[in-house]
Amino acid sequence: MARRVLESFVVKRTLRFSTIRFCPSAAVSESAFGDSRPAAEPSAGIAESGANGVEGPKEHRETRDRIVNALEQRRTWFETVLHPPVRTSQEAAKARNAPLHAGAKCMLLKQKKTENFVVVVISAAERIDNKRLRKQVGKNLRAATEEEVFEVTGARPGAVPPFGSLYRQPVPTFMDESLRTQGETISFNVALRTESLTMRQQDYEAIEQPTLVNVVVAEQTEAP
């Protein structure tokens, strides 16, 4: 099928309670039914080269579909945007055309010498305070490896969504207060590096019911 590039306008398609946006720079292909789909959107899975040039695990839509289905079943408003692959919070914010602080940054952590995992979600504009993390979430925690991230969440690093309850292997979710105070909506990669989802922060809390914590670096106040 012919391929074309959207140059000037964002294409929107309304689906019940959601809207799908295509990034203006994303290549799209026309299907036999006449609708436009991003060429980069994975059907079964896509593989990318890692930092060492070695092909990483394929991305699959299973976790993404569980999240979207859960939101649709609850008649929750959300919007998705399809974009070129992103790996960092800064790249994702630019691709979404959204402020950095609205990003829900997710870190999968494993308790050492166990098979227990948790996911910690903070505003992408913040940084984790390890002392607070140990006190409020747990001691002896380490970052999960790329293989563990994919095995547990079904996503690759950089695309982990904030719904620990909907992972391949459900895990407890801890949400930092920074995500609650940053604004009315949050955005995150919905288990794919090529797709982001925006929804109301209050809806996210109501559905996921995360444990609220305060684990980011405190703002420094200048002495008078």
Side-chain angles (χ1 to χ4, degrees):
M1 294 293 178
R3 177 176 293 181
R4 58 192 176 87
V5 177
L6 302 178
E7 296 179 345
S8 303
F9 301 94
V10 173
V11 176
K12 293 187 178 181
R13 182 191 307 160
T14 302
L15 299 176
R16 294 181 61 194
F17 307 96
S18 65
T19 302
I20 298 178
R21 291 193 296 120
F22 297 101
C23 177
S25 61
V28 300
S29 58
E30 287 191 352
S31 74
F33 299 98
D35 59 340
S36 298
R37 300 177 186 274
E41 182 181 3
S43 54
I46 57 175
E48 295 182 23
S49 297
N52 299 325
V54 179
E55 185 177 273
K58 292 182 179 180
E59 290 193 308
H60 289 275
R61 297 174 61 88
E62 54 181 306
T63 301
R64 179 263 184 205
D65 290 345
R66 277 196 297 272
I67 293 172
V68 169
N69 289 340
L71 299 183
E72 289 182 339
Q73 288 173 5
R74 291 168 174 80
R75 303 174 69 86
T76 302
W77 174 86
F78 66 92
E79 179 182 89
T80 60
V81 57
L82 300 165
H83 48 68
V86 294
R87 295 173 182 269
T88 68
S89 297
Q90 290 77 10
E91 290 175 351
K94 184 178 180 180
R96 300 167 189 154
N97 193 26
L100 180 63
H101 61 75
K105 184 176 181 179
C106 305
M107 289 149 287
L108 186 70
L109 305 174
K110 183 180 182 181
Q111 188 175 30
K112 296 178 182 178
K113 298 182 180 180
T114 74
E115 294 302 316
N116 299 326
F117 292 86
V118 300
V119 63
V120 178
V121 189
I122 68 174
S123 166
E126 304 295 339
R127 294 182 295 112
I128 286 285
D129 183 313
N130 288 325
K131 185 176 180 180
R132 290 183 172 186
L133 180 70
R134 289 192 296 269
K135 184 176 181 180
Q136 298 183 45
V137 178
K139 298 180 180 179
N140 299 319
L141 294 173
R142 66 164 176 81
T145 65
E146 181 169 352
E147 291 74 17
E148 289 170 337
V149 169
F150 187 73
E151 180 180 354
V152 172
T153 71
R156 298 182 63 192
V160 175
F163 284 93
S165 64
L166 297 176
Y167 291 168
R168 284 175 169 173
Q169 301 176 24
V171 305
T173 301
F174 292 83
M175 186 195 80
D176 187 77
E177 291 181 358
S178 61
L179 200 64
R180 173 183 283 180
T181 59
Q182 59 76 32
E184 295 184 357
T185 62
I186 62 172
S187 300
F188 52 90
N189 279 71
V190 60
L192 297 170
R193 288 179 173 173
T194 54
E195 183 172 5
S196 294
L197 186 148
T198 297
M199 64 183 297
R200 296 185 183 92
Q201 192 277 330
Q202 288 185 339
D203 290 341
Y204 164 70
E205 279 199 56
I207 294 171
E208 180 63 7
Q209 298 185 3
T211 299
L212 189 64
V213 292
N214 186 0
V215 294
V216 300
V217 176
E219 292 185 4
Q220 299 293 325
T221 56
E222 295 184 3

